[in-house]
Amino acid sequence: MGRVSTRLLTAAAQAPSGHNAQPWKFVAEGQRVRILPDLSRRLPAVDPDDHALFISLGCALENLVVAARGEGYNAEVDDTSLVGENSEIRVHLQPSETEDRHEDRLYAAIPERQSTRRTYDGRPIPSADLRRLDDASRRDGTGFHLFTDPGRIEPLIELVEEGNRRQFSDPAFVEELVAWIRFNPREVEGRKDGLTHAVMGLPSIPRWLGRFVMRKLVTPGSQARSAARAIRSSAALMLFTTDRAHPRGWVDLGRSFERVALTATTLDIRQAHMNMPCEVPTLREELRWHLGLGDAHPLLLLRIGYAKPMPRSPRRPLEEVLVKGSP
Ligand SMILES: Cc1cc2nc3c(=O)[nH]c(=O)nc-3n(C[C@H](O)[C@H](O)[C@H](O)COP(=O)(O)O)c2cc1C
């Protein structure tokens, strides 16, 4: 594979991940690629059961599959080894003759996709485009819900605000978040991971000042209010659920989310996570009850709409995510 494998793994590593922790490792062996969780990059405060970690692996997998098709390969996914410490996803690549323009557009969208955390312009999304997002979300065992009506969005905003208040009142959550913020270009260059000051719309400051601001000036109330404003500037909310609260279900949800995110990118639709009520277990239950989701687990909530892009988020170089022995 050589150069092709480099392109496929670069695409996989451009996937989104919680706090941009990039919790993945890759092994490339001939026509086979393996994706492994990097458990040293867990987020125990915000993601104690690792569901966000496996969703992130699902995003990387979807990028890899889309990139493989774009490079002329069929990707056969074996996710039967997603159990316990030695979890891995195996992808077998077979040369393919089929051309698919739609897949090519998704492939081109991989480096363009981003989490856009700024205020949106309030324009509604045409219903034909919402249908395309809905089509892109389809995957067995996962659910997708769109909310465009302010009457349905307002109760969800209350849950987001409450989630924000609870998370920012929890010192372990704030400590973990601060540890993943890169407050100035020197920190960004040194680590090439985490949430940079630029993607969060913040000025470059020394770490001591960043810690002070995050601990003393960013209050649970101020965070809740700015999340509510951000949602009200957006066109819609979208929610992803899974029927299965285990790694295979989480990986599938990640694949569904990434396909929607790439499709949205091709339509100039921006997205940003508003996961707070999915991350606090009691609020997740409330969300499930409020929406009548039955046994489905609501795990990702995002706002979508139109806005200018933000600066890009960094990624670690491939050498750092390739397990030894790979080309
Ligand atoms: C499972 C998952 C959970 C995430 N949770 C949040 C979140 O709660 N808040 C947020 O602002 N971004 C969240 N993100 C977005 C990541 O921070 C983002 O993907 C990462 O910083 C890389 O940036 P990019 O998406 O622009 O490439 C999440 C992403 C994933 C995949």
Side-chain angles (χ1 to χ4, degrees), residues 115-132:
S115 305
T116 312
R117 295 181 178 83
R118 64 163 86 245
T119 305
Y120 293 178
D121 69 9
R123 261 188 303 144
I125 298 172
S127 43
D129 287 354
L130 292 174
R131 270 198 302 279
R132 289 172 73 173

Side-chain angles (χ1 to χ4, degrees), residues 19-22 41 180-182 192-196 199 313-314:
H19 289 4
N20 195 24
Q22 305 167 41
R41 295 182 160 262
W180 284 97
I181 296 181
R182 309 291 170 242
K192 292 204 157 53
D193 63 5
L195 299 162
T196 70
V199 303
S313 171

Side-chain angles (χ1 to χ4, degrees), residues 153-163 165 228 232 283:
I153 291 177
E154 284 303 315
L156 299 178
I157 291 181
E158 277 176 37
L159 286 171
V160 168
E161 287 183 298
E162 184 55 22
R165 282 193 286 268
R232 290 193 184 108
L283 292 180

Side-chain angles (χ1 to χ4, degrees), residues 16-18 20 52 56 113-115 117 195 273 275 279 313 315:
S17 59
N20 195 24
S56 307
R113 183 214 55 81
Q114 62 163 229
S115 305
R117 295 181 178 83
L195 299 162
H273 288 261
N275 290 336
E279 289 166 350
S313 171
R315 292 296 185 276

Side-chain angles (χ1 to χ4, degrees), residues 42-247:
R42 295 182 65 237
L43 303 171
V46 70
D47 184 31
D49 65 359
D50 291 332
H51 72 262
L53 186 150
F54 283 98
I55 289 174
S56 307
L57 291 193
C59 295
L61 171 61
E62 189 60 24
N63 275 8
L64 185 78
V65 170
V66 167
R69 287 188 192 134
E71 295 287 344
Y73 289 86
N74 247 338
E76 191 192 307
V77 176
D78 172 0
D79 65 356
T80 51
S81 301
L82 275 169
V83 259
E85 291 275 299
N86 298 319
S87 281
E88 65 173 31
I89 304 164
R90 302 185 188 120
V91 185
H92 297 268
L93 302 166
Q94 301 284 347
S96 150
E97 296 294 308
T98 341
E99 282 204 10
D100 185 333
R101 289 243 182 87
H102 178 62
E103 290 296 309
D104 286 348
R105 277 197 292 276
L106 294 187
Y107 186 24
I110 289 176
E112 298 301 318
R113 183 214 55 81
Q114 62 163 229
S115 305
T116 312
R117 295 181 178 83
R118 64 163 86 245
T119 305
Y120 293 178
D121 69 9
R123 261 188 303 144
I125 298 172
S127 43
D129 287 354
L130 292 174
R131 270 198 302 279
R132 289 172 73 173
L133 300 186
D134 188 49
D135 288 345
S137 74
R138 304 265 161 85
R139 179 158 282 284
D140 279 353
T142 64
F144 178 69
H145 305 261
L146 273 168
F147 304 93
T148 51
D149 170 6
R152 298 202 71 199
I153 291 177
E154 284 303 315
L156 299 178
I157 291 181
E158 277 176 37
L159 286 171
V160 168
E161 287 183 298
E162 184 55 22
N164 247 326
R165 282 193 286 268
R166 298 224 198 145
Q167 288 184 322
F168 278 85
S169 306
D170 173 2
F173 172 88
V174 176
E175 273 311 303
E176 183 175 87
L177 178 60
V178 169
W180 284 97
I181 296 181
R182 309 291 170 242
F183 288 104
N184 51 65
R186 215 172 57 159
E187 291 191 351
V188 177
E189 275 312 301
R191 304 289 294 272
K192 292 204 157 53
D193 63 5
L195 299 162
T196 70
H197 60 95
V199 303
M200 296 172 79
L202 302 171
S204 162
I205 48 177
R207 173 152 290 263
W208 66 265
L209 183 56
R211 290 183 86 87
F212 174 80
V213 170
M214 290 300 294
R215 284 184 181 154
K216 305 284 181 211
L217 304 183
V218 173
T219 65
S222 71
Q223 283 301 106
R225 280 189 295 279
S226 77
R229 269 196 306 275
I231 296 177
R232 290 193 184 108
S233 78
S234 309
L237 284 174
M238 58 182 190
L239 178 73
F240 293 83
T241 68
T242 176
D243 297 346
R244 295 155 298 157
H246 59 68

Side-chain angles (χ1 to χ4, degrees), residues 5-15 17 20-29 33-41 57 60 64 180 191-193 314-327:
S5 78
T6 304
R7 287 203 287 271
L8 300 192
L9 296 181
T10 301
Q14 280 169 327
S17 59
N20 195 24
Q22 305 167 41
W24 41 62
K25 291 184 281 190
F26 303 106
V27 184
E29 310 160 312
V33 176
R34 291 190 283 144
I35 305 178
L36 293 73
D38 182 346
L39 299 176
S40 68
R41 295 182 160 262
L57 291 193
L64 185 78
W180 284 97
R191 304 289 294 272
K192 292 204 157 53
D193 63 5
R315 292 296 185 276
R316 290 177 295 152
L318 268 194
E319 310 85 83
E320 277 190 33
V321 290
L322 273 178
V323 174
K324 244 176 137 197
S326 305

